[in-house]
Amino acid sequence: MKIGIIGTGSITGKHAQAIAEIEGAELVALYNPNPESAAKAKAQFGLLVLTDLEEFLKVPDMEIVCVCTPSGMHLEPALAAAKAGKHLMIEKPIEINLKRTDELIAACAENKVKLAVIFQNRFTEDYQKLKRAVSEGVFGRLLMGNAYVNWFRDSAYYSTSNWKGTLEADGGGALINQGIHTVDLLLDLMGDVKSVFGQVQTTLYPIEGEDLGAAIVNFKNGALGNITSATALYPGYPERIEIFGTEGSAILEAGKLTQWNIKESSEIVKPSQNSGGSGASDPTAIGHQLHLAQWKLFLRAIQEDQTPVVDGETARKSVELIRAIYFSSKKGKIVAFPFEDED
Ligand SMILES: NC(=O)c1ccc[n+]([C@@H]2O[C@H](COP(=O)([O-])OP(=O)(O)OC[C@H]3O[C@@H](n4cnc5c(N)ncnc54)[C@H](O)[C@@H]3O)[C@@H](O)[C@H]2O)c1
């Protein structure tokens, strides 16, 4: 299966590494409209790099396109690719607001192409164990689920990027860019949200989006939850998910189970070796193995005509929650779900 990638920045290399390890898959072309960036990518990847989107979409037999542009610039290239009949793998977040997200999902449905959104942290061995246990009711009735992303980025992280922390291209800051991975896991474990109260602020950096955010979530299943997400908390600690139920509790840190306590069970769970790393202090400190796991499943879903893991509707949920937190913070009010954007 031939694959092309749109955007040639820092995350593109992880996709290239992952695709190179899949038998029967081949990365055939890259697209970047900026001639300088395209030349740099050609030198880096040694592949065909096109600066014209129409030409890129005509590369023979290219069935799948992966979108790695800044978050608020996923929609336009994705629409063109969907219209050209390409299946789409999009980097997180699917888009930066619900209107753009819905447009993207609708275009894929209309053009009958598959859509998956990268949330690679779903694929650590320990997360999968936690998810299975929650689904099987091992923790009993869920009482509380927390997601903490107390991370740190230095000022150069923002000052050297033309889009990170901007409202137009990042959609905000720590929540929509960094925290969304863990918010996605929390929603996957705890289910849908009934209401949320959020507060966000910009504390350390001269950015439009937040570098500090917190929220209290009321889940439909009756459980409560806390979310924190930050890029201002030195030195940055591994992201953590806590699940508490009537029959037991578990804590997952940076993709590894560090606590597992089930009533009347003596099972001792040791953290697995392979967690994929944490971007707590350094965004480049993640491997490509989890992207590889999601790519393999996506290719299988295409071959078997199945719904991909983390499809558009699933990826929409974390955008909905984060947009609701922003709205709640702006209005100083609890926000009920389903939430629809104002703008
Ligand atoms: N899954 C993860 O852990 C992870 C990690 C980092 C980034 N990301 C996501 O990947 C996306 C890209 O992030 P990044 O860190 O690689 O950013 P980046 O700034 O390093 O790269 C963005 C790339 O897109 C190109 N670009 C900009 N506008 C374009 C357009 N209209 N058409 C084609 N190319 C265009 C830029 O020239 C650059 O090559 C973001 O959505 C981000 O949230 C995901």
Side-chain angles (χ1 to χ4, degrees):
M1 298 173 96
K2 295 193 194 310
I3 301 166
I5 302 182
I6 295 182
T8 56
S10 68
I11 202 63
T12 302
K14 306 287 176 206
H15 289 274
Q17 270 179 292
I19 294 163
E21 289 179 23
I22 304 176
E23 212 182 314
E26 189 190 356
L27 180 57
V28 289
L30 304 171
Y31 163 69
N32 194 313
N34 178 303
E36 238 173 74
S37 306
K40 213 174 121 203
K42 191 164 175 40
Q44 184 185 350
F45 295 99
L47 284 170
L48 174 66
V49 186
L50 294 157
T51 52
D52 182 285
L53 186 56
E54 259 182 60
E55 240 180 80
F56 167 79
L57 293 171
K58 283 188 191 144
V59 169
D61 301 323
M62 191 172 75
E63 286 177 71
I64 304 162
V65 163
C66 175
V67 178
C68 294
T69 49
S71 306
M73 300 162 106
H74 289 172
L75 176 65
E76 287 76 14
L79 287 183
K83 273 190 198 137
K86 313 295 176 191
H87 300 297
L88 281 167
M89 175 72 110
I90 312 243
E91 262 296 350
K92 54 50 62 175
I94 177 169
E95 249 292 347
I96 57 164
N97 63 36
L98 292 172
K99 187 166 169 272
R100 291 174 68 81
T101 296
D102 289 340
E103 214 180 312
L104 206 163
I105 294 172
C108 289
E110 215 170 282
N111 292 287
K112 299 190 171 45
V113 296
K114 304 274 185 207
L115 165 61
V117 179
I118 285 279
F119 276 105
Q120 76 270 19
N121 294 348
R122 285 183 176 230
F123 302 99
T124 71
E125 208 180 310
D126 284 10
Y127 177 73
Q128 301 246 315
K129 181 180 169 67
L130 179 59
K131 169 71 182 168
R132 238 179 355 258
V134 167
S135 308
E136 287 166 2
V138 169
F139 301 105
R141 182 163 61 84
L142 296 178
L143 302 172
M144 182 169 265
N146 302 325
Y148 300 115
V149 187
N150 300 326
W151 279 12
F152 183 71
R153 294 286 180 266
D154 61 15
S155 56
Y157 173 81
Y158 290 112
S159 65
T160 57
S161 169
N162 61 2
W163 68 274
K164 286 173 183 143
T166 66
L167 292 184
E168 197 185 345
D170 210 356
L175 272 158
I176 192 97
N177 190 319
Q178 284 78 18
I180 195 160
H181 283 288
T182 315
V183 168
D184 168 68
L185 299 186
L186 187 71
L187 291 171
D188 188 42
L189 295 168
M190 301 298 293
D192 287 344
V193 171
K194 197 160 98 187
S195 66
V196 70
F197 179 70
Q199 293 265 279
V200 297
Q201 57 191 57
T202 311
T203 310
L204 273 194
Y205 298 117
I207 56 173
E208 294 170 334
E210 76 289 355
D211 55 20
L212 221 49
I216 299 171
V217 186
N218 216 309
F219 291 98
K220 275 196 181 153
N221 62 10
L224 287 179
N226 292 296
I227 294 173
T228 66
S229 184
T231 51
L233 302 178
Y234 179 83
Y237 293 94
E239 65 279 10
R240 190 164 90 239
I241 296 254
E242 301 175 345
I243 298 296
F244 301 97
T246 52
E247 302 306 312
S249 307
I251 296 179
L252 184 89
E253 284 183 276
K256 295 185 186 193
L257 280 165
T258 54
Q259 295 290 336
W260 183 272
N261 305 96
I262 313 290
K263 278 183 193 169
E264 283 147 40
S265 158
S266 53
E267 185 188 4
I268 294 170
V269 173
K270 284 200 196 130
S272 71
Q273 292 306 306
N274 193 356
S275 78
S278 169
S281 321
D282 174 6
T284 63
I286 61 164
H288 71 286
Q289 292 299 335
L290 302 176
H291 276 75
L292 172 62
Q294 193 169 353
W295 265 109
K296 283 183 178 166
L297 289 174
F298 185 49
L299 297 183
R300 199 192 312 152
I302 293 170
Q303 280 166 336
E304 295 176 359
D305 195 18
Q306 302 288 336
T307 304
V309 181
V310 201
D311 64 354
E313 288 299 338
T314 307
R316 186 186 189 281
K317 288 176 192 284
S318 48
V319 176
E320 181 188 22
L321 178 51
I322 289 168
R323 292 291 294 179
I325 292 172
Y326 291 160
F327 185 77
S328 168
S329 182
K330 197 164 115 189
K331 301 284 179 187
K333 286 200 303 212
I334 294 176
V335 172
F337 278 53
F339 173 71
E340 286 303 333
D341 272 330
E342 261 186 330
D343 41 28

